[in-house]
Coordinates of all heavy atoms in Angstrom, one line a residue:
M1 N 0.8 -1.2 0.0 CA 0.0 0.0 0.0 C 0.9 1.2 0.0 O 2.0 1.2 0.5 CB -0.9 0.0 1.2 CG -1.8 -1.2 1.4 SD -2.8 -1.5 0.0 CE -4.1 -0.3 0.4
Q2 N 0.3 2.3 -0.5 CA 1.1 3.6 -0.6 C 0.2 4.7 -0.1 O -1.0 4.7 -0.4 CB 1.5 3.8 -2.0 CG 2.6 2.9 -2.5 CD 3.0 3.3 -3.9 OE1 2.2 3.7 -4.7 NE2 4.3 3.2 -4.2
L3 N 0.8 5.7 0.5 CA 0.1 6.9 0.8 C 0.4 7.9 -0.3 O 1.6 8.0 -0.7 CB 0.5 7.5 2.1 CG -0.3 7.1 3.4 CD1 0.3 7.8 4.6 CD2 -1.7 7.4 3.2
K4 N -0.6 8.6 -0.7 CA -0.3 9.6 -1.8 C -1.1 10.8 -1.5 O -2.2 10.8 -1.0 CB -0.8 8.9 -3.1 CG -0.7 9.8 -4.3 CD -1.2 9.0 -5.5 CE -1.2 9.9 -6.8 NZ 0.1 10.3 -7.1
N5 N -0.5 12.0 -1.7 CA -1.2 13.2 -1.5 C -1.9 13.6 -2.8 O -1.3 14.1 -3.8 CB -0.2 14.3 -1.1 CG -0.9 15.7 -0.9 OD1 -2.1 15.8 -0.9 ND2 -0.1 16.7 -0.6
Y6 N -3.1 13.3 -2.8 CA -3.9 13.5 -4.0 C -3.9 15.0 -4.5 O -4.1 15.3 -5.6 CB -5.4 13.0 -3.8 CG -6.2 13.2 -5.0 CD1 -5.9 12.6 -6.2 CD2 -7.4 13.9 -5.0 CE1 -6.7 12.7 -7.3 CE2 -8.2 14.1 -6.1 CZ -7.8 13.5 -7.2 OH -8.6 13.6 -8.4
M7 N -3.7 15.9 -3.5 CA -3.7 17.3 -3.8 C -2.6 17.6 -4.8 O -2.8 18.5 -5.7 CB -3.4 18.1 -2.5 CG -3.7 19.6 -2.7 SD -5.4 20.0 -3.1 CE -6.1 20.2 -1.5
E8 N -1.5 16.9 -4.8 CA -0.4 17.1 -5.8 C -0.9 16.9 -7.2 O -0.6 17.6 -8.1 CB 0.7 16.1 -5.5 CG 1.6 16.5 -4.3 CD 2.8 15.5 -4.1 OE1 3.2 14.8 -5.1 OE2 3.2 15.4 -3.0
E9 N -1.7 15.8 -7.3 CA -2.2 15.5 -8.7 C -3.2 16.6 -9.2 O -3.1 17.0 -10.3 CB -2.9 14.2 -8.7 CG -2.0 13.1 -9.2 CD -2.7 11.7 -9.3 OE1 -3.9 11.7 -9.7 OE2 -2.0 10.8 -9.0
V10 N -4.0 17.0 -8.3 CA -5.0 18.1 -8.7 C -4.2 19.4 -9.1 O -4.5 20.0 -10.1 CB -6.0 18.3 -7.5 CG1 -6.9 19.4 -7.9 CG2 -6.7 17.1 -7.2
V11 N -3.2 19.7 -8.3 CA -2.5 20.9 -8.6 C -1.8 20.8 -9.9 O -1.8 21.7 -10.7 CB -1.5 21.3 -7.4 CG1 -0.4 22.3 -7.9 CG2 -2.2 21.8 -6.2
F12 N -1.1 19.7 -10.1 CA -0.4 19.6 -11.4 C -1.3 19.5 -12.6 O -1.0 19.9 -13.7 CB 0.5 18.3 -11.4 CG 1.9 18.7 -10.8 CD1 2.2 18.3 -9.5 CD2 2.8 19.4 -11.5 CE1 3.4 18.6 -8.9 CE2 4.1 19.7 -11.0 CZ 4.4 19.3 -9.7
E13 N -2.5 19.0 -12.4 CA -3.5 18.9 -13.4 C -4.0 20.3 -13.8 O -4.2 20.5 -15.0 CB -4.7 18.1 -12.8 CG -5.6 17.4 -13.8 CD -6.7 16.6 -13.0 OE1 -7.7 17.2 -12.8 OE2 -6.4 15.4 -12.7
M14 N -4.1 21.2 -12.9 CA -4.6 22.5 -13.2 C -3.5 23.5 -13.5 O -3.7 24.6 -14.0 CB -5.3 23.1 -11.9 CG -6.8 22.8 -12.0 SD -7.6 23.8 -10.6 CE -8.7 22.6 -10.0
L15 N -2.3 23.2 -13.1 CA -1.2 24.1 -13.1 C -0.9 24.8 -14.4 O -1.0 26.1 -14.5 CB 0.1 23.4 -12.7 CG 1.4 24.2 -12.4 CD1 1.2 25.0 -11.2 CD2 2.6 23.3 -12.3
D16 N -0.8 24.0 -15.5 CA -0.4 24.6 -16.8 C -1.5 25.5 -17.3 O -1.3 26.5 -17.9 CB -0.1 23.4 -17.8 CG 1.2 22.8 -17.5 OD1 1.9 23.2 -16.5 OD2 1.5 21.8 -18.2
K17 N -2.8 25.0 -17.1 CA -3.9 25.8 -17.6 C -3.9 27.2 -17.0 O -4.1 28.2 -17.7 CB -5.2 25.0 -17.2 CG -6.4 25.4 -18.1 CD -7.5 24.3 -18.0 CE -8.1 24.3 -16.6 NZ -9.1 23.3 -16.4
V18 N -3.7 27.2 -15.7 CA -3.8 28.5 -15.0 C -2.6 29.4 -15.4 O -2.7 30.6 -15.7 CB -3.7 28.3 -13.4 CG1 -3.6 29.7 -12.7 CG2 -5.0 27.6 -13.0
M19 N -1.4 28.8 -15.5 CA -0.2 29.5 -15.8 C -0.2 30.1 -17.3 O 0.2 31.2 -17.5 CB 1.1 28.7 -15.6 CG 1.3 28.5 -14.1 SD 2.8 27.4 -13.8 CE 4.1 28.6 -14.1
V20 N -0.8 29.3 -18.2 CA -0.9 29.8 -19.6 C -1.8 31.0 -19.6 O -1.6 32.0 -20.2 CB -1.4 28.6 -20.5 CG1 -1.9 29.2 -21.8 CG2 -0.4 27.6 -20.7
K21 N -3.0 30.8 -18.9 CA -3.9 31.9 -18.8 C -3.3 33.2 -18.3 O -3.7 34.3 -18.7 CB -5.1 31.5 -18.0 CG -6.5 32.1 -18.4 CD -7.6 31.3 -17.7 CE -8.2 32.2 -16.7 NZ -9.3 31.5 -16.0
M22 N -2.5 33.1 -17.3 CA -1.8 34.2 -16.7 C -0.6 34.7 -17.5 O -0.1 35.8 -17.2 CB -1.4 33.9 -15.3 CG -2.6 33.6 -14.3 SD -2.0 33.1 -12.7 CE -1.3 34.7 -12.1
G23 N -0.2 34.0 -18.4 CA 1.0 34.4 -19.2 C 2.3 34.4 -18.5 O 3.1 35.2 -18.8
V24 N 2.4 33.6 -17.5 CA 3.7 33.5 -16.7 C 4.6 32.5 -17.3 O 4.2 31.7 -18.1 CB 3.4 33.3 -15.2 CG1 2.5 34.3 -14.6 CG2 2.8 31.9 -15.0
C25 N 5.9 32.6 -16.9 CA 6.9 31.7 -17.4 C 6.6 30.3 -17.1 O 6.1 29.9 -16.0 CB 8.3 32.1 -16.7 SG 9.6 31.0 -17.2
M26 N 6.8 29.4 -18.1 CA 6.4 28.0 -18.0 C 7.6 27.1 -17.9 O 7.5 25.9 -18.2 CB 5.6 27.6 -19.2 CG 4.2 28.3 -19.3 SD 3.0 27.7 -18.1 CE 2.7 26.1 -18.8
C27 N 8.8 27.6 -17.6 CA 9.9 26.7 -17.5 C 9.7 25.8 -16.3 O 8.9 26.1 -15.4 CB 11.2 27.5 -17.4 SG 11.6 28.2 -15.7
D28 N 10.4 24.7 -16.2 CA 10.3 23.7 -15.2 C 10.4 24.3 -13.8 O 9.7 24.0 -12.9 CB 11.3 22.6 -15.4 CG 10.6 21.3 -16.0 OD1 9.4 21.5 -16.4 OD2 11.2 20.3 -15.9
K29 N 11.5 25.2 -13.7 CA 11.7 25.8 -12.4 C 10.5 26.6 -11.9 O 10.1 26.4 -10.7 CB 13.0 26.7 -12.5 CG 13.4 27.3 -11.2 CD 14.2 26.3 -10.4 CE 14.5 26.9 -9.0 NZ 14.6 25.9 -8.0
C30 N 10.0 27.4 -12.7 CA 8.8 28.2 -12.3 C 7.6 27.3 -12.1 O 6.8 27.5 -11.1 CB 8.5 29.2 -13.4 SG 9.8 30.5 -13.4
R31 N 7.4 26.3 -12.9 CA 6.2 25.4 -12.7 C 6.3 24.7 -11.4 O 5.3 24.6 -10.6 CB 6.1 24.4 -13.8 CG 5.7 25.0 -15.2 CD 5.7 24.0 -16.3 NE 4.7 23.0 -16.2 CZ 4.9 21.7 -16.1 NH1 6.1 21.2 -16.1 NH2 3.9 20.9 -15.9
Y32 N 7.5 24.2 -11.0 CA 7.6 23.5 -9.8 C 7.6 24.5 -8.6 O 7.1 24.1 -7.5 CB 8.9 22.7 -9.8 CG 8.7 21.3 -10.4 CD1 8.7 21.1 -11.8 CD2 8.4 20.2 -9.6 CE1 8.5 19.9 -12.3 CE2 8.2 18.9 -10.2 CZ 8.2 18.8 -11.5 OH 7.9 17.6 -12.1
D33 N 8.1 25.7 -8.8 CA 8.0 26.7 -7.7 C 6.5 27.0 -7.4 O 6.1 27.1 -6.3 CB 8.8 27.9 -8.1 CG 10.2 27.8 -7.7 OD1 10.6 26.9 -7.0 OD2 11.0 28.7 -8.2
V34 N 5.8 27.2 -8.5 CA 4.3 27.5 -8.3 C 3.6 26.3 -7.6 O 2.8 26.5 -6.7 CB 3.7 27.8 -9.7 CG1 2.2 27.9 -9.5 CG2 4.2 29.1 -10.3
A35 N 3.9 25.1 -8.1 CA 3.3 24.0 -7.5 C 3.6 23.9 -6.0 O 2.8 23.6 -5.2 CB 3.8 22.7 -8.2
A36 N 4.9 24.1 -5.6 CA 5.3 24.0 -4.2 C 4.6 25.0 -3.4 O 4.1 24.7 -2.3 CB 6.8 24.2 -4.1
I37 N 4.6 26.3 -3.9 CA 3.9 27.3 -3.1 C 2.4 27.1 -2.9 O 1.8 27.2 -1.9 CB 4.1 28.7 -3.7 CG1 5.6 29.1 -3.7 CG2 3.3 29.8 -3.0 CD1 6.1 30.2 -4.5
A38 N 1.8 26.6 -4.0 CA 0.4 26.3 -4.0 C 0.1 25.2 -3.0 O -0.8 25.3 -2.2 CB -0.2 26.0 -5.4
L39 N 0.9 24.1 -3.1 CA 0.7 23.0 -2.2 C 0.9 23.3 -0.8 O 0.2 22.8 0.1 CB 1.6 21.8 -2.7 CG 1.1 21.1 -3.9 CD1 2.2 20.2 -4.5 CD2 -0.1 20.2 -3.5
N40 N 1.8 24.2 -0.5 CA 2.0 24.6 0.9 C 0.9 25.4 1.5 O 0.7 25.4 2.7 CB 3.3 25.5 1.0 CG 4.6 24.6 1.0 OD1 4.5 23.4 1.3 ND2 5.7 25.2 0.6
S41 N 0.1 26.0 0.6 CA -1.0 26.8 1.1 C -2.3 26.0 1.1 O -3.4 26.5 1.6 CB -1.2 28.1 0.3 OG -1.7 27.8 -1.0
L42 N -2.3 24.8 0.6 CA -3.5 23.9 0.5 C -3.4 22.8 1.5 O -2.3 22.3 1.8 CB -3.7 23.4 -0.9 CG -4.1 24.3 -2.0 CD1 -3.8 23.8 -3.4 CD2 -5.5 24.7 -1.9
P43 N -4.5 22.4 2.1 CA -4.4 21.2 3.0 C -4.1 20.0 2.2 O -4.5 19.8 1.0 CB -5.8 21.1 3.5 CG -6.7 21.7 2.5 CD -5.9 22.8 1.9
P44 N -3.2 19.1 2.7 CA -2.9 17.8 2.0 C -4.2 17.0 2.0 O -5.0 17.1 2.8 CB -1.8 17.2 2.8 CG -2.0 17.8 4.2 CD -2.5 19.2 4.0
K45 N -4.2 16.1 1.0 CA -5.4 15.2 0.9 C -4.8 13.8 0.6 O -4.7 13.4 -0.6 CB -6.3 15.7 -0.2 CG -7.6 14.9 -0.3 CD -8.6 15.6 -1.1 CE -10.0 14.9 -1.2 NZ -10.6 14.7 0.1
Y46 N -4.6 13.1 1.7 CA -4.0 11.8 1.5 C -5.0 10.7 1.2 O -6.1 10.7 1.8 CB -3.2 11.4 2.8 CG -1.9 12.2 2.9 CD1 -1.8 13.3 3.7 CD2 -0.8 11.8 2.1 CE1 -0.6 14.0 3.8 CE2 0.4 12.5 2.1 CZ 0.5 13.6 3.0 OH 1.6 14.3 3.0
V47 N -4.6 9.9 0.2 CA -5.4 8.8 -0.1 C -4.5 7.5 -0.1 O -3.3 7.6 -0.2 CB -6.0 8.9 -1.5 CG1 -7.1 10.0 -1.6 CG2 -5.0 9.1 -2.6
V48 N -5.2 6.4 0.2 CA -4.4 5.1 0.2 C -4.6 4.5 -1.2 O -5.7 4.3 -1.7 CB -5.0 4.2 1.3 CG1 -4.2 2.9 1.3 CG2 -4.9 4.8 2.6
T49 N -3.5 4.1 -1.8 CA -3.6 3.4 -3.1 C -2.8 2.1 -3.0 O -1.9 2.0 -2.2 CB -3.0 4.3 -4.2 OG1 -1.6 4.5 -3.9 CG2 -3.7 5.6 -4.3
E50 N -3.2 1.2 -3.8 CA -2.4 0.0 -3.9 C -1.4 0.3 -5.0 O -1.6 1.1 -5.9 CB -3.3 -1.2 -4.3 CG -4.3 -1.5 -3.3 CD -4.7 -2.9 -3.3 OE1 -3.9 -3.8 -3.6 OE2 -5.9 -3.2 -3.0
E51 N -0.3 -0.4 -4.9 CA 0.8 -0.1 -5.9 C 0.3 -0.3 -7.3 O -0.4 -1.3 -7.6 CB 2.0 -1.0 -5.7 CG 3.3 -0.4 -6.1 CD 4.5 -1.2 -5.6 OE1 4.4 -1.9 -4.6 OE2 5.5 -1.1 -6.3
G52 N 0.6 0.7 -8.2 CA 0.1 0.6 -9.6 C -1.3 1.0 -9.9 O -1.7 1.1 -11.0
E53 N -2.0 1.2 -8.8 CA -3.4 1.6 -9.0 C -3.5 3.1 -9.4 O -2.8 3.9 -8.9 CB -4.2 1.5 -7.6 CG -5.6 1.9 -7.7 CD -6.3 1.9 -6.3 OE1 -5.6 1.7 -5.3 OE2 -7.5 2.2 -6.3
V54 N -4.3 3.3 -10.4 CA -4.5 4.7 -10.9 C -5.7 5.3 -10.1 O -6.8 4.8 -10.1 CB -4.8 4.8 -12.4 CG1 -5.0 6.2 -12.8 CG2 -3.6 4.2 -13.2
Y55 N -5.3 6.4 -9.4 CA -6.4 6.9 -8.5 C -7.3 7.8 -9.4 O -6.8 8.7 -10.0 CB -5.7 7.8 -7.4 CG -6.7 8.2 -6.4 CD1 -7.2 7.4 -5.4 CD2 -7.3 9.5 -6.5 CE1 -8.1 7.8 -4.5 CE2 -8.2 9.9 -5.5 CZ -8.6 9.1 -4.5 OH -9.6 9.5 -3.6
S56 N -8.5 7.6 -9.4 CA -9.4 8.4 -10.2 C -10.1 9.4 -9.3 O -10.3 9.2 -8.1 CB -10.4 7.5 -10.9 OG -11.1 6.7 -10.0
R57 N -10.5 10.4 -10.0 CA -11.1 11.5 -9.3 C -12.4 11.1 -8.6 O -13.2 10.4 -9.2 CB -11.5 12.6 -10.3 CG -11.5 14.0 -9.8 CD -11.8 14.9 -10.9 NE -12.1 16.2 -10.4 CZ -11.2 17.1 -10.1 NH1 -10.0 16.9 -10.3 NH2 -11.6 18.3 -9.6
T58 N -12.6 11.5 -7.4 CA -13.8 11.0 -6.7 C -14.9 12.1 -6.6 O -14.6 13.3 -6.8 CB -13.5 10.6 -5.2 OG1 -12.9 11.7 -4.6 CG2 -12.5 9.4 -5.3
N59 N -16.1 11.7 -6.3 CA -17.2 12.6 -6.3 C -17.2 13.5 -5.1 O -17.8 14.5 -5.1 CB -18.5 11.8 -6.3 CG -18.7 11.1 -7.6 OD1 -18.3 11.6 -8.6 ND2 -19.4 10.0 -7.5
E60 N -16.4 13.1 -4.1 CA -16.3 14.0 -2.9 C -15.7 15.4 -3.2 O -15.8 16.3 -2.4 CB -15.5 13.3 -1.8 CG -14.1 13.1 -2.1 CD -13.3 12.3 -1.1 OE1 -13.1 12.9 0.0 OE2 -13.0 11.1 -1.3
L61 N -15.0 15.4 -4.3 CA -14.4 16.7 -4.7 C -15.4 17.6 -5.3 O -16.0 17.3 -6.3 CB -13.2 16.5 -5.6 CG -12.1 15.5 -5.0 CD1 -11.0 15.3 -6.0 CD2 -11.6 16.1 -3.7
T62 N -15.5 18.8 -4.7 CA -16.6 19.7 -5.1 C -16.1 20.8 -6.0 O -14.9 21.0 -6.2 CB -17.3 20.3 -3.9 OG1 -16.3 21.0 -3.2 CG2 -17.8 19.2 -3.0
T63 N -17.0 21.6 -6.5 CA -16.6 22.7 -7.3 C -15.8 23.7 -6.4 O -14.9 24.3 -6.9 CB -17.9 23.5 -7.8 OG1 -18.7 22.5 -8.5 CG2 -17.5 24.6 -8.7
Q64 N -16.2 23.8 -5.2 CA -15.5 24.7 -4.3 C -14.1 24.3 -4.1 O -13.2 25.1 -4.0 CB -16.2 24.8 -2.9 CG -15.6 25.8 -1.9 CD -15.6 27.2 -2.4 OE1 -16.6 27.7 -2.9 NE2 -14.5 27.9 -2.4
F65 N -13.9 23.0 -4.1 CA -12.5 22.5 -4.0 C -11.7 22.9 -5.2 O -10.6 23.4 -5.1 CB -12.6 20.9 -3.9 CG -11.3 20.2 -4.0 CD1 -10.6 20.0 -2.8 CD2 -10.8 19.8 -5.2 CE1 -9.4 19.3 -2.8 CE2 -9.6 19.1 -5.2 CZ -8.9 18.9 -4.0
D66 N -12.3 22.8 -6.4 CA -11.6 23.3 -7.6 C -11.2 24.8 -7.5 O -10.2 25.2 -7.9 CB -12.4 23.0 -8.8 CG -12.4 21.6 -9.3 OD1 -11.5 20.8 -8.8 OD2 -13.2 21.2 -10.1
V67 N -12.2 25.5 -7.0 CA -12.0 27.0 -6.9 C -10.8 27.3 -6.0 O -10.0 28.1 -6.3 CB -13.3 27.7 -6.5 CG1 -13.0 29.2 -6.1 CG2 -14.4 27.6 -7.5
D68 N -10.8 26.6 -4.8 CA -9.7 26.8 -3.9 C -8.4 26.5 -4.5 O -7.4 27.2 -4.2 CB -10.0 25.9 -2.6 CG -11.2 26.4 -1.8 OD1 -11.6 27.5 -2.0 OD2 -11.6 25.6 -0.9
V69 N -8.3 25.4 -5.2 CA -7.0 25.0 -5.8 C -6.6 26.0 -6.9 O -5.5 26.5 -6.9 CB -7.1 23.6 -6.4 CG1 -5.8 23.2 -7.2 CG2 -7.4 22.5 -5.4
A70 N -7.6 26.4 -7.7 CA -7.2 27.4 -8.7 C -6.8 28.7 -8.1 O -5.8 29.4 -8.6 CB -8.5 27.6 -9.6
T71 N -7.4 29.1 -7.0 CA -7.0 30.4 -6.3 C -5.6 30.2 -5.8 O -4.8 31.2 -5.9 CB -8.0 30.7 -5.2 OG1 -9.3 30.7 -5.7 CG2 -7.6 32.0 -4.5
A72 N -5.3 29.1 -5.2 CA -3.9 28.9 -4.6 C -2.9 28.9 -5.7 O -1.8 29.5 -5.6 CB -3.9 27.6 -3.9
I73 N -3.2 28.3 -6.9 CA -2.2 28.3 -8.0 C -2.1 29.7 -8.5 O -0.9 30.2 -8.8 CB -2.7 27.4 -9.1 CG1 -2.7 25.9 -8.6 CG2 -1.8 27.5 -10.3 CD1 -3.3 24.9 -9.6
T74 N -3.2 30.5 -8.6 CA -3.1 31.8 -9.1 C -2.2 32.7 -8.2 O -1.3 33.4 -8.7 CB -4.5 32.5 -9.2 OG1 -5.3 31.6 -10.1 CG2 -4.4 33.9 -9.8
R75 N -2.4 32.6 -6.9 CA -1.6 33.4 -6.0 C -0.1 33.0 -6.1 O 0.8 33.8 -6.1 CB -2.1 33.1 -4.5 CG -3.3 33.8 -4.3 CD -3.6 34.0 -2.8 NE -4.9 34.5 -2.5 CZ -5.8 33.9 -1.7 NH1 -5.5 32.7 -1.1 NH2 -7.0 34.3 -1.6
A76 N 0.1 31.7 -6.2 CA 1.5 31.2 -6.3 C 2.2 31.7 -7.5 O 3.3 32.1 -7.5 CB 1.5 29.6 -6.2
A77 N 1.4 31.6 -8.7 CA 2.0 32.1 -9.9 C 2.3 33.6 -9.9 O 3.3 34.0 -10.5 CB 1.0 31.8 -11.1
E78 N 1.5 34.4 -9.2 CA 1.8 35.8 -9.0 C 3.1 36.0 -8.3 O 4.0 36.8 -8.7 CB 0.7 36.5 -8.3 CG -0.5 36.8 -9.2 CD -1.8 37.3 -8.4 OE1 -1.7 37.3 -7.2 OE2 -2.8 37.5 -9.1
I79 N 3.3 35.2 -7.2 CA 4.5 35.3 -6.4 C 5.7 35.0 -7.2 O 6.7 35.7 -7.3 CB 4.4 34.4 -5.2 CG1 3.3 34.9 -4.2 CG2 5.7 34.3 -4.5 CD1 2.9 33.9 -3.1
V80 N 5.6 33.8 -8.0 CA 6.8 33.4 -8.7 C 7.1 34.3 -9.9 O 8.3 34.6 -10.2 CB 6.5 31.9 -9.2 CG1 7.6 31.5 -10.2 CG2 6.5 31.0 -8.0
S81 N 6.1 34.8 -10.5 CA 6.3 35.7 -11.7 C 7.0 37.0 -11.3 O 7.7 37.7 -12.0 CB 5.0 36.0 -12.5 OG 4.2 36.8 -11.8
K82 N 6.7 37.4 -10.0 CA 7.4 38.6 -9.5 C 8.8 38.4 -9.1 O 9.6 39.2 -9.1 CB 6.6 39.2 -8.3 CG 5.4 40.1 -8.7 CD 4.6 40.5 -7.5 CE 3.2 41.0 -8.0 NZ 2.2 40.9 -6.9
N83 N 9.0 37.2 -8.6 CA 10.4 36.8 -8.1 C 10.8 35.5 -8.7 O 11.0 34.5 -8.0 CB 10.4 36.7 -6.6 CG 10.4 38.1 -6.0 OD1 11.3 38.9 -6.1 ND2 9.4 38.4 -5.3
P84 N 11.0 35.4 -10.0 CA 11.3 34.1 -10.6 C 12.7 33.7 -10.2 O 13.6 34.5 -10.0 CB 11.3 34.4 -12.1 CG 11.4 35.8 -12.3 CD 10.9 36.5 -11.0
R85 N 12.9 32.4 -9.9 CA 14.2 31.9 -9.5 C 14.9 31.2 -10.6 O 16.0 30.6 -10.4 CB 14.0 31.0 -8.3 CG 13.4 31.7 -7.1 CD 13.5 31.0 -5.8 NE 12.9 29.7 -5.9 CZ 13.4 28.6 -5.2 NH1 14.5 28.7 -4.5 NH2 12.8 27.4 -5.3
H86 N 14.3 31.2 -11.8 CA 15.0 30.6 -12.9 C 16.2 31.5 -13.3 O 16.2 32.6 -12.9 CB 14.1 30.4 -14.1 CG 13.4 31.6 -14.6 ND1 12.1 31.7 -15.1 CD2 13.8 32.9 -14.5 CE1 11.8 32.9 -15.4 NE2 12.8 33.7 -15.1
E87 N 17.1 30.9 -14.1 CA 18.2 31.8 -14.5 C 17.8 32.6 -15.7 O 17.2 32.2 -16.7 CB 19.4 30.9 -15.0 CG 20.0 30.1 -13.8 CD 21.3 29.4 -14.1 OE1 21.9 29.8 -15.1 OE2 21.6 28.5 -13.4
V88 N 18.0 33.9 -15.5 CA 17.6 34.9 -16.5 C 18.7 35.0 -17.5 O 19.8 35.3 -17.2 CB 17.2 36.2 -15.9 CG1 16.8 37.2 -16.9 CG2 16.1 36.1 -14.8
R89 N 18.3 34.8 -18.8 CA 19.3 34.9 -19.9 C 19.4 36.4 -20.2 O 18.4 37.2 -20.1 CB 18.9 34.1 -21.1 CG 19.4 32.7 -21.0 CD 19.0 31.9 -22.2 NE 17.9 30.9 -21.8 CZ 17.2 30.3 -22.7 NH1 17.3 30.5 -23.9 NH2 16.3 29.4 -22.2
N90 N 20.5 36.8 -20.8 CA 20.7 38.2 -21.3 C 20.6 39.2 -20.1 O 20.0 40.2 -20.3 CB 19.7 38.6 -22.4 CG 19.8 37.6 -23.5 OD1 20.8 37.1 -23.9 ND2 18.6 37.3 -24.1
G91 N 21.2 38.8 -19.0 CA 21.2 39.8 -17.9 C 20.5 39.3 -16.8 O 20.2 40.0 -15.8
Ligands
ZN1 ZN1 10.9 30.4 -15.5

């Protein structure tokens, strides 16, 4: 058996969509920074999975849940785009 933070999957699922919409840098460094900040501000959601099992989205997740995650990602993307930690080329 494995413990998995399902919140990670939800954040990564929504991450690119939100970042594209906001027009922020999409390099790996920025994407992971946004994911880390967003996940730190969201409650973890641990699920038990058997090895190899693909965890599918459950009905317990509500629209409000999606809104909360999108809001956390948006805030995180704002923080990262103001202070990107990727290496800036040309200066
Ligand atoms: Zn970047």
